[in-house]
Amino acid sequence: MSRLKLHFALAISLLLHLAVLLWPAPQTDAPPPAAALLQARLRPAPAADRPAEPAPTEPVLKDTRSENTNEAPAARQPAPPEKRPSRRAQEHAQERAQRILNRHVFYPQEAIDRGLEGEVRLRLTLAADGRVLDAGILASSGHALLDQAALQAARHIGRIDAGGARELMLPVLFRLE
């Protein structure tokens, strides 16, 4: 019976799509307006029109901590570049986080009963000590039950040794076997 309903629905859908595709387009007598090409060029202003730049009377950077403001500011040392974990360390951190997340994921019984499957991609925002500050869905499974189960698992992780990473992208697969 359900197979007959499916074939009937497909036939109706096919007929509606064919009707839309084969329906004659409305005819208009007026030709479409010709598109005019618009060109723009940027040219530098002539030297005579440009205002003269005033000479700086004081240094751009001032040392406001000094009492004598006429002194030139001390040269500032740039901050050392932030050490980023190596690619291998990031991969190991990703694998550790995935194992921890998998311990907390459960397949909702209602989803099992309904035969729902899918993949949820999570974004975890981590504190410097590895605590999960926020969990969000990057890509939904298409089923709210599975999305909520993945988010709930991420919230129960607690802490992850992510090797200094502040953000992780983790997939959560829900497959019935």
Side-chain angles (χ1 to χ4, degrees), residues 12-79:
I12 294 295
S13 175
L14 181 64
L15 287 174
L16 286 173
H17 281 86
L18 283 173
V20 169
L21 289 174
L22 298 177
W23 196 268
Q27 299 293 325
T28 58
D29 295 335
L37 293 177
L38 178 64
Q39 293 183 349
R41 291 188 187 137
L42 293 176
R43 290 186 243 159
D49 293 346
R50 277 188 244 152
E53 292 184 16
T57 57
E58 54 186 58
V60 176
L61 295 175
K62 284 186 176 180
D63 186 3
T64 57
R65 295 172 291 171
S66 173
E67 290 180 18
N68 188 355
T69 58
N70 294 334
E71 293 179 7
R76 295 185 187 206
Q77 295 290 331

Side-chain angles (χ1 to χ4, degrees), residues 19-174:
V20 169
L21 289 174
L22 298 177
W23 196 268
Q27 299 293 325
T28 58
D29 295 335
L37 293 177
L38 178 64
Q39 293 183 349
R41 291 188 187 137
L42 293 176
R43 290 186 243 159
D49 293 346
R50 277 188 244 152
E53 292 184 16
T57 57
E58 54 186 58
V60 176
L61 295 175
K62 284 186 176 180
D63 186 3
T64 57
R65 295 172 291 171
S66 173
E67 290 180 18
N68 188 355
T69 58
N70 294 334
E71 293 179 7
R76 295 185 187 206
Q77 295 290 331
E82 185 177 310
K83 269 193 155 184
R84 299 188 86 203
S86 69
R87 184 171 183 86
R88 183 173 207 121
Q90 288 177 343
E91 289 172 357
H92 286 304
Q94 186 92 7
E95 290 170 5
R96 282 192 306 267
Q98 189 70 52
R99 281 194 301 270
I100 293 170
L101 177 66
N102 288 343
R103 284 187 225 141
H104 295 282
V105 173
F106 73 97
Y107 212 124
Q109 186 61 45
E110 185 179 348
I112 294 171
D113 294 343
R114 292 172 47 190
L116 302 179
E117 293 184 334
E119 178 180 351
V120 182
R121 293 202 177 264
L122 294 177
R123 178 185 47 86
L124 301 181
T125 305
L126 306 175
D129 64 352
R131 284 180 298 115
V132 177
L133 297 175
D134 186 38
I137 295 177
L138 286 176
S140 171
S141 66
H143 305 289
L145 278 172
L146 300 180
D147 294 348
Q148 291 304 317
L151 281 174
Q152 187 175 11
R155 290 185 188 115
H156 284 96
I157 289 176
R159 217 176 147 273
I160 299 176
D161 179 20
R166 292 300 185 108
E167 195 169 81
L168 291 174
M169 307 326 168
L170 299 174
V172 179
L173 293 172
F174 292 96

